[in-house]
Amino acid sequence: MTHPLTAQPMLAGRGLIKRYGTEHALAGVDIDVAAGEATAIVGPSGSGKTSLLHVLAGILAPDAGQVFLAGQRIDQLSETKRSQLRQREFGFVFQSGLLVDELTAEENVALPTLLGGGRKADALRGAREWLGRLGLGGFASRRPGELSGGEAQRVAIARALSHRPKVIFADEPTGALDTKTGRDTMDALLVTARETGAAVLIVTHDRELADSLPRIVSIRDGLITSGVRAA
Ligand code: ADP
Ligand code: MG
């Protein structure tokens, strides 16, 4: 996706550094993500992919550098404010869905909306609509233990999208799925994200998935080695 150089990125990292002891998980990363843009993040194990997602999403505070959401600096906000921001503005899909086992599929999907102060009846109705969009119309009352890996990951995607976040962070979301299920699940994520206008950052080892996205950012030893776009 092209956009004018003057357009403000939806999400931006500037000079991001994250250390663990003497180890640099991020050694000075600059990254821009445009509204609605889908980006793959690729790189060897231990290269800093997860650290980058966590710093951009406000889960981890960087040791140096800044993170901006729609031009507002977010990395220095209090933990409470960052937690609110994550609930309202971001959606997350992890390798295995991290669904709440005791809740049904529709309750899991409704959770971010409920945490954001939404009414229960509305949240559950919205959750059923999202499950329908992801081909899980008949699964609303099932608990995670009654779902296949691919179905559970679709529930996680419905949950990540249901409160219409600005950015979806997906960390190796197909890592626990077979190739075909992984592809179908990512198609479902990308199509629904496009419908809502959410930007998507997907960390993946699946080269074919990465190649199917409009943009690939490669990272090695905590540095972006390709895919940088002029700010
Ligand atoms: P990736 O997701 O690309 O596999 P990570 O961001 O998880 O990479 O890790 C980057 C580097 O930081 C690795 O060398 C890893 O060992 C180190 N690291 C990540 N998290 C921690 C942690 N909580 N404590 C210590 N070192 C960590
Ligand atoms: Mg990782």
Side-chain angles (χ1 to χ4, degrees):
M1 188 183 298
T2 55
H3 66 123
L5 292 179
T6 49
Q8 174 174 272
M10 175 54 67
L11 187 66
R14 291 285 171 269
L16 296 174
I17 292 182
K18 181 70 195 170
R19 285 184 218 97
Y20 292 104
T22 56
E23 168 97 28
H24 276 80
L26 297 176
V29 168
D30 293 296
I31 185 168
D32 278 359
V33 180
E37 181 178 49
T39 302
I41 300 179
V42 301
S45 181
S47 57
K49 305 180 298 295
T50 294
S51 301
L52 178 59
L53 283 199
H54 287 184
V55 166
L56 289 174
I59 295 170
L60 277 179
D63 293 308
Q66 302 100 38
V67 181
F68 299 90
L69 177 68
Q72 302 283 328
R73 188 154 177 199
I74 62 168
D75 58 283
Q76 287 184 318
L77 297 174
S78 68
E79 177 49 42
T80 310
K81 285 261 195 285
R82 276 190 283 141
S83 161
Q84 283 174 354
L85 192 88
R86 289 197 296 271
Q87 277 167 26
R88 286 183 195 147
E89 313 286 8
F90 297 151
F92 298 91
V93 183
F94 300 99
Q95 180 167 346
S96 49
L98 293 184
L99 300 173
V100 181
D101 285 335
E102 292 74 22
L103 299 182
T104 62
E106 65 179 357
E107 288 166 345
N108 267 286
V109 174
L111 210 50
T113 306
L114 291 171
L115 289 171
R119 289 184 45 229
K120 185 160 187 196
D122 295 339
L124 288 176
R125 185 163 31 75
R128 285 191 291 273
E129 283 173 23
W130 278 104
L131 289 170
R133 279 186 183 182
L134 286 154
L136 292 172
F139 294 69
S141 317
R142 294 215 197 166
R143 288 185 168 58
E146 302 163 328
L147 299 170
S148 72
E151 289 158 1
Q153 206 57 331
R154 278 169 191 258
V155 173
I157 290 168
R159 180 184 58 185
L161 284 155
S162 63
H163 58 302
R164 296 189 169 263
K166 294 196 174 76
V167 187
I168 311 275
F169 297 93
D171 197 349
E172 304 195 27
T174 61
L177 305 178
D178 66 75
T179 309
K180 163 95 172 66
T181 308
R183 292 277 146 70
D184 292 349
T185 308
M186 283 306 95
D187 284 346
L189 169 62
L190 292 166
V191 167
T192 40
R194 206 174 301 136
E195 284 167 9
T196 64
V200 189
L201 279 172
I202 303 180
V203 169
T204 184
H205 288 300
D206 181 341
R207 193 69 222 187
E208 209 172 300
L209 167 62
D211 286 339
S212 75
L213 299 187
R215 182 181 176 210
I216 303 176
V217 167
S218 301
I219 178 164
R220 182 176 285 269
D221 297 333
L223 285 170
I224 289 180
T225 54
S226 72
V228 190
R229 199 180 40 217

